Amino acid sequence: GEYWIDPQTAMLYLRPPTVGAQDFVLSVGSGIFELQGASNSVSFHSLTLIAARETAIRCGASLGAGAFRDCQARNVVVSNCTIWGMGDGAIAVAVSPNAGAGLGWQVHGCNISSTGTIAIGLHGGDASTLQSSGHVVANTTVKHYGRLSYGFTPAIEISGVGTRVINNELSHGNGQALMWSGNNHMIEANV
């Protein structure tokens, strides 16, 4: 039931528990899908994404101090997927507040569990014109989120304008279930 990582050689030494058979997963890849520069209308349907050190599906990034690499991919659909064991999040769309970029992401009917930080982070729209992001998270279950960070690591984080968060089950996390900022969001029938 013990392990040790040799920082010089990056070797993992594992002594498995002696009682009961267990499966072990060691992630060595960073993320799974990076959509920066991807064309519009990308769909992920009925996939199982397991164990990465970073985010499973990511577009754009916060570069700190209010700087962003804006997500340009639009109309991305993630439906009926299982995402488990991410060191960071499951799905992340990052844009600056007035970019009007990365619009129309939809997450439907997914099962997401065991994320290190925020499970789903959708940012988008244009705050200066109130252009809607068109993002939707619906009928999705998120459990065991924020395993590596305590506080400010919600199951779902939205910002910008016009994201709909409908009929989701959010539970067993180290942070709040839902965190939002911005305008014209619709949040309803979540448990």
Side-chain angles (χ1 to χ4, degrees):
E2 299 177 16
Y3 72 92
W4 181 70
I5 299 173
D6 183 344
Q8 304 263 336
T9 63
M11 291 289 295
L12 168 69
Y13 296 91
L14 174 67
R15 177 183 282 168
T18 57
V19 178
Q22 293 190 7
D23 293 331
F24 294 93
V25 176
L26 175 63
S27 59
V28 294
S30 54
I32 298 176
F33 292 104
E34 170 66 53
L35 295 186
Q36 192 61 25
S39 62
N40 294 334
S41 303
V42 176
S43 293
F44 300 92
H45 180 70
S46 298
L47 295 176
T48 299
L49 307 175
I50 298 174
R53 291 183 181 190
E54 295 177 10
T55 301
I57 301 171
R58 179 178 65 192
C59 186
S62 173
L63 304 174
F68 290 85
R69 183 179 72 228
D70 291 327
C71 172
Q72 298 300 322
R74 295 177 178 218
N75 303 318
V76 174
V77 176
V78 182
S79 65
N80 301 314
C81 290
T82 298
I83 303 173
W84 174 84
M86 297 299 126
D88 198 358
I91 301 166
V93 177
V95 299
S96 54
N98 298 319
L103 306 175
W105 281 63
Q106 298 185 34
V107 180
H108 293 281
C110 294
N111 287 304
I112 298 170
S113 65
S114 298
T115 62
T117 61
I118 299 165
I120 301 171
L122 298 179
H123 312 279
D126 188 328
S128 64
T129 65
L130 294 182
Q131 173 192 13
S132 176
S133 67
H135 297 326
V136 177
V137 180
N139 303 309
T140 291
T141 300
V142 179
K143 293 183 178 181
H144 305 288
Y145 56 90
R147 294 176 303 122
L148 302 177
S149 298
Y150 293 91
F152 301 105
T153 54
I156 300 173
E157 177 186 43
I158 61 175
S159 71
V161 183
T163 296
R164 296 173 31 206
V165 180
I166 305 164
N167 199 35
N168 300 289
E169 181 183 330
L170 314 171
S171 67
H172 297 87
N174 287 327
Q176 55 273 59
L178 181 62
M179 188 164 66
W180 71 90
S181 64
N183 304 73
N184 300 343
H185 300 303
M186 182 170 69
I187 301 167
E188 67 179 14
N190 297 286
V191 176

